[in-house]
Amino acid sequence: MAGAATLDEMREARSNLMLSEHPIGPDVRIETISTADVDIEVVSAPATTERAHSEPVLVLLVHGGMFMSGTPRSVRHLAARLSAELGVPVATPALRLAPEHQHPAPLHDLAAALDYLSVHGVQRRDGVATAPRIALVAESSGCAIALAELQRRAAAGAAMPVAVVYASPWLDLTCAGFSYTANEAHDPVLKRDRLLSVARSYTGDDHELADPAVSPLMAPMDAFANLPPTLIHVGDTEVVLDDAHSLETAMAAAGGIVRLREFTDVIHAWHLFFPIMPQAEAAVLEVLSFLRPYMGQLPAVQEEAEPTLPPPVAAADEVEAAPADRLAQLVATPDVEDGERNSGES
């Protein structure tokens, strides 16, 4: 990451940069729920008291960061946007980070957050408790944690989100898909060798990268049954392109409701970069369009139906290019060697 000599500095830069680009308004309420197992940041825009819902609802946001960085603060601007547009609280658990906390620590954190929110929900600005209708949005490495946890919950018959969005999903930590090599020259952010180093830093020596709890794309076919309706976003030049397509194929084969959308001229997890990138704005609008029917804001869709989505994002020559230097600090893959030498407890 540009200007960050250590992992601690990289984490701090990632947590703060987008808030400097897109500050949160003073009317947005930010609270922390501290459970016995995990802290959960809850962001509530004023709209959470203004919009009626057919039943209580919230969004659970799972941050990425290549397992080594990322905090609720790093996605707070996106949480505030989702809260404002959907009129619901957005809860982001503080997932523990590698290398200090290796697998399965963040998986346990997400499980604890889902268990807590499914029972207790959160309190809206008007004092009304909101649970248990939950939609889940995950980005980057957070998608592997989210999918692995949802597969576990589906097998156990536990409460599930009503809908899921995966943005730039990294789901195979063995990096076996063809796109990991075919797209490497075209992906400005992710490189296969670096990802493999990050993956090993996350798992340590006690877990295989092909373990489905680590790489949920490796799970048996029946693990993709009974998953919530899902929207997948990926860039057509990302190295994780095949992960996105493989998830769509597996869910469709298992009879699930799934929609994949490829975007052009984007970088990894570009949803985080609004308002800098026009393509990020288009992606966020599509996420909102997908979620609304499942959250009781439009006439309920039938289980077999697929929500109507907006047209594909405009081509590169129809949108303004984002300033690359304003994104550089957010898109670098962590330097594992520097991280292991210089990181402190997170």
Side-chain angles (χ1 to χ4, degrees), residues 19 154 230 246 338:
L19 287 179
T230 297
S246 295
D338 280 350

Side-chain angles (χ1 to χ4, degrees), residues 221-227 248-257:
M221 185 56 65
D222 60 2
F224 296 91
N226 303 315
L227 295 177
E248 179 199 30
T249 299
M251 285 191 63
I257 299 174

